[in-house]
Amino acid sequence: MYRERPAGIVGAVLWTSCGAGAPTRVLPDGCLDLLWSSRRGLLVAGPDRRAHLSSSAPGERWTGLRLPPGVGPAVFGVPADELRDRRVPLEALWGRAAGEVAERLGDRPTGAALTAVAAGRLTAAGGPDPLGPRVAARTGYADQAHLTRDVCDLAGVPPRALLGG
């Protein structure tokens, strides 16, 4: 059974699931997730370009923290495109710090505990990765104003509003 609820980070969602042994289709949402699996430990799910079939062993428990766009790179310390269409152990990104986090969380971490870990990393990074000149340049826009106009046209609000700012 899958359940979700708001998390303690603006725009983030906590979710839990218990594996039934059959593949589950996960639709792309452009977000990065911090995941805990009772079988696999701490993982990071990158943003997907297409649906991902997730397989779980019967009874495998999952707790996830879905981070809104712009927040994941600050939490994980890598650009989102480096994680696109991937599932990686948290240790591959944080090294020994991931082991320390896993030890602190124990063998059945709560959603609040995952949120606290992400919030701490977000604070240490100085907040979400801002939409600005650097993002515009990386995505092929001539300048930030061009990016902002396109976001406003598509979403009806400026980029800052999408990030909850």
Side-chain angles (χ1 to χ4, degrees):
M1 175 177 283
Y2 176 86
R3 291 193 174 152
E4 63 179 47
R5 63 188 188 280
I9 297 172
V10 174
V13 174
L14 280 170
W15 59 267
T16 56
S17 180
C18 187
T24 302
R25 186 172 306 278
V26 179
L27 300 177
D29 58 12
C31 297
L32 293 161
D33 288 51
L34 174 59
L35 309 172
W36 174 82
S37 157
S38 61
R39 190 172 63 128
R40 301 179 211 172
L42 291 168
L43 305 165
V44 176
D48 293 323
R49 288 181 285 187
R50 59 192 163 285
H52 171 79
L53 284 179
S54 176
S55 59
S56 296
E60 183 176 359
R61 294 179 321 277
W62 290 87
T63 301
L65 175 65
R66 183 179 314 121
L67 299 165
V71 173
V75 170
F76 298 119
V78 297
D81 64 334
E82 288 186 22
L83 298 169
R84 187 182 312 129
D85 298 320
R86 296 178 60 205
R87 307 297 181 267
V88 299
L90 184 62
E91 185 176 35
L93 303 177
W94 292 358
R96 292 181 76 167
E100 294 167 8
V101 167
E103 189 173 309
R104 195 169 68 239
L105 292 175
D107 61 358
R108 195 167 186 162
T110 64
L114 287 180
T115 301
V117 168
R121 295 282 298 209
L122 185 60
T123 298
D129 192 14
L131 287 177
R134 188 180 57 200
V135 173
R138 274 192 273 164
T139 56
Y141 283 91
D143 57 24
Q144 181 180 351
H146 184 192
L147 170 68
T148 300
R149 279 192 307 275
D150 276 2
V151 170
C152 286
D153 286 346
L154 291 169
V157 295
R160 181 80 42 209
L162 291 175
L163 293 175

